Amino acid sequence: MSDTGAPESALWGGWLTGGDSLLEEVNASVRFDRRLAFQDIDGSVAHALMLGETGVISPADAETISGGLEKVRAEIAAGTFVFDPALEDVHMNIESRLRELIGPVAGHLHTGRSRNDQVAVDTRLWVRDAIDRLDGLLGAAIDVLAERAETHHADVMPGFTHLQCAQPVTIGHHLLAYGEMFLRDRDRLRDARRRLAESPLGAAALAGTGYPIDPVSTARRLGFDTITRNSLDAVSDRDFILDYLSAGATLAVHVSRLGEELVLWSTPQFGFITLPEDLCAGSSIMPQKRNPDLPELMRAKSGRIFGNLMALLTVMKGLPLAYSRDMQEDKEALFDSADQLELIVRSAAAMLRGITFVPERTRFAAELGNAVATDLADWLVTDRGLPFRESHSVVGGLVKWLQVQGKELRHATAEELASYDARLAGMPAEVLTVDHAVRRRRSPGGTAPELVRAAAAELRRRNAALLPSAPSASPLSSRPDQGV
């Protein structure tokens, strides 16, 4: 019971008499927002200490509140804290337990603060931690890509356009393409992190507060760069979640593309890779099967992540300023996407580390489909002086002529080439080899093996240059997401 005789769980007991059980069922969020527990304690400790420093409450009360919150933190970390759905959300659960531990002085904690700016700062802190976790996982995955690319810098495989044989590349070159994608993903995440580095504490419900607070102090304690500039925007902004989900959706596209290629490459028809046995599943009826379940789920989870982004965009699109309860729907989309993103990046790294390439098979496939036709056309340009459009036509006609005979360029003899067009006489045989094709592509970003080896080293250097983010929290605590 509160000092007024109202049940403590009735946050607004002085005005409303209580809600229908259906309202409680729809309104309650503690089953999912309990994941904000550590961030909520950090924000509350910072707020309490600031209230003591500014004289809004006594320094002694501020220390008592801070000490009590640390006891609550320890209970949550130990798994002994009991979350009560009747208390609606994580914020009231923590405040209620604080009151049990330190008594009525706990009531001073909410001075100059609303749940609106409280949840806004909690969620920013949580997203910042999620970004840092995902960024670290991506950095580790890029290192795996660089290592595998270096190992296979000279192993030839087919390069595709339209999933048709196009030109030979190397396995290392192909892998490095994903390294570039993942580096861009790290950059997008860090950009999102930079934009969320404003503390909304002090905005209160929507209009600020009349207490002489020091929001710069709380921002500094919580590791933010600055404070928000408009109280209405501070409590109604969820752009920082949308930024994270948007960057995550692009990352999911990249992981999905990688998953698709792993699925294709592992089929007997391709045979480019052997999947790690411990990351595959079998069949309930076909004893020979080694199913690529993990790459398939890497591919499939992108849809779930896209859906969460669209769900929150739809929630936010028509909301008037400032806060509406609709915004409670941001948490489940956020938490689910964070879980799935971390899972698929861990999965991608595990697959890249565990697969075994079959260079003999990739080389054989690279030799199919007249993949060196462009090299022959280029030879006619450089050695016979033909305009490229003419050489393109000559080689196209040659490919068609050979096809009628059931042959490809790799089967053609010197005599057959000369008989088709006298300008092909004397062409060195190596022009029609895949090794020559990859060696000669030395333009920046090309697939020449020495360039691929250098690019793998450069990828590793660029990845390392994106140092882990500075500790996101103040000296208050570390905040692992334990899914409490």
Side-chain angles (χ1 to χ4, degrees):
M1 301 290 286
S2 72
D3 295 340
T4 63
E8 187 180 339
S9 60
L11 178 61
W12 25 78
W15 170 243
L16 300 177
T17 58
D20 185 277
S21 60
L22 178 59
L23 175 64
E24 287 188 11
E25 183 180 349
V26 175
N27 221 22
S29 58
V30 71
R31 65 182 174 82
F32 53 84
D33 70 14
R34 60 199 292 176
R35 292 181 68 166
L36 297 174
F38 293 124
Q39 288 79 11
D40 190 70
I41 291 171
D42 282 346
S44 291
V45 169
H47 184 68
L49 293 176
M50 178 275 297
L51 292 177
E53 290 169 353
T54 56
V56 175
I57 65 176
S58 72
D61 283 349
E63 288 299 326
T64 299
I65 292 170
S66 176
L69 287 166
E70 294 303 336
K71 291 179 181 178
V72 176
R73 187 200 304 278
E75 291 179 356
I76 295 173
T80 59
F81 187 95
V82 178
F83 289 93
D84 182 0
L87 292 174
E88 188 177 311
D89 59 27
V90 63
H91 321 292
M92 290 311 301
N93 269 266
I94 290 173
E95 191 170 332
S96 175
R97 179 57 179 152
L98 179 65
R99 187 181 182 87
E100 292 174 357
L101 290 171
I102 67 173
V105 70
H108 290 301
L109 173 59
H110 214 54
T111 307
R113 184 178 74 169
S114 164
R115 280 202 303 180
N116 291 355
D117 61 342
Q118 182 180 3
V119 72
V121 77
D122 292 358
T123 311
R124 281 177 185 258
L125 292 172
W126 197 95
V127 172
R128 190 175 64 185
D129 290 342
I131 287 174
D132 291 348
R133 289 195 305 272
L134 187 57
D135 183 53
L137 290 171
L138 271 171
I142 292 170
D143 281 341
V144 175
L145 276 166
E147 179 184 344
R148 299 307 306 267
E150 204 163 43
T151 299
H152 296 286
H153 72 281
D155 290 326
V156 179
M157 70 172 287
F160 298 96
T161 60
H162 308 277
L163 204 55
Q164 303 293 317
C165 290
Q167 294 177 332
V169 296
T170 69
I171 294 172
H173 191 59
H174 194 110
L175 291 175
L176 289 177
Y178 286 102
E180 295 298 322
M181 296 180 210
F182 288 167
L183 269 180
R184 291 196 298 273
D185 291 321
R186 291 193 70 189
D187 186 61
R188 270 183 283 269
L189 287 169
R190 284 160 174 258
D191 196 39
R193 192 186 196 280
R194 176 186 58 79
R195 274 195 298 276
L196 68 73
E198 299 179 347
S199 173
L201 266 183
L206 77 162
T209 178
Y211 292 100
I213 62 171
D214 182 4
V216 173
S217 171
T218 53
R220 183 173 59 251
R221 277 196 170 94
L222 294 170
F224 289 109
D225 295 339
T226 186
I227 60 174
T228 52
R229 294 166 181 81
N230 182 282
S231 59
L232 287 166
D233 180 58
V235 299
S236 63
D237 171 39
R238 292 299 183 268
D239 289 2
F240 62 96
I241 302 180
L242 292 171
D243 280 350
Y244 171 69
L245 295 183
S246 179
T250 304
L251 167 58
V253 169
H254 299 153
V255 174
S256 179
R257 295 180 75 177
L258 174 61
E260 168 68 6
E261 294 207 306
L262 294 176
V263 170
L264 284 174
W265 292 352
S266 66
T267 61
Q269 289 74 20
F270 274 77
F272 291 180
I273 60 173
T274 301
L275 295 173
E277 191 170 313
D278 59 335
L279 296 177
C280 293
S283 164
S284 63
I285 188 173
M286 295 169 284
Q288 85 282 7
K289 294 296 293 297
R290 182 185 290 192
N291 292 330
D293 288 36
L294 196 61
E296 288 173 340
L297 289 170
M298 288 162 53
R299 183 178 62 189
K301 285 184 182 292
S302 60
R304 183 167 167 179
I305 293 164
F306 301 162
N308 286 331
L309 171 59
M310 292 308 301
L312 184 54
L313 285 168
T314 306
V315 166
M316 297 300 298
K317 72 175 181 62
L319 296 186
L321 296 178
Y323 180 83
S324 297
R325 196 54 181 257
D326 309 51
M327 292 160 70
Q328 177 175 294
E329 290 296 305
D330 62 356
K331 306 298 183 304
E332 289 179 285
L334 167 62
F335 297 149
D336 183 60
S337 281
D339 290 344
Q340 303 313 311
L341 285 165
E342 291 173 28
L343 184 60
I344 62 173
V345 172
R346 286 169 48 217
S347 298
M351 289 302 302
L352 288 166
R353 192 180 295 111
I355 59 177
T356 301
F357 283 96
V358 186
E360 299 81 9
R361 183 74 182 217
T362 60
R363 169 179 286 275
F364 174 77
E367 293 173 342
L368 300 176
N370 299 295
V372 295
T374 304
D375 299 273
L376 178 55
D378 288 343
W379 181 85
L380 286 170
V381 170
T382 57
D383 280 68
R384 295 295 185 259
L386 273 66
F388 182 79
R389 283 303 174 200
E390 184 178 348
S391 71
H392 183 285
S393 178
V394 170
V395 175
L398 172 62
V399 167
K400 187 172 184 179
W401 180 70
L402 289 170
Q403 185 179 31
V404 172
Q405 304 173 55
K407 295 180 178 180
E408 292 187 351
L409 287 172
R410 61 197 175 100
H411 301 126
T413 64
E415 292 75 17
E416 287 174 319
L417 294 174
S419 69
Y420 177 79
D421 192 307
R423 292 169 293 187
L424 293 172
M427 181 200 72
E430 72 164 2
V431 171
L432 297 183
T433 66
V434 293
D435 290 307
H436 174 265
V438 296
R439 281 198 309 268
R440 63 183 292 267
R441 284 177 166 79
R442 297 188 182 90
S443 58
T447 193
E450 67 270 21
L451 294 185
V452 173
R453 178 185 283 170
E458 177 65 6
L459 176 66
R460 190 179 286 111
R461 186 198 65 76
R462 291 161 60 208
N463 190 43
L466 291 176
L467 296 172
S469 301
S472 47
S474 63
L476 292 175
S477 71
S478 60
R479 293 191 307 274
D481 175 37
Q482 298 181 349
V484 292

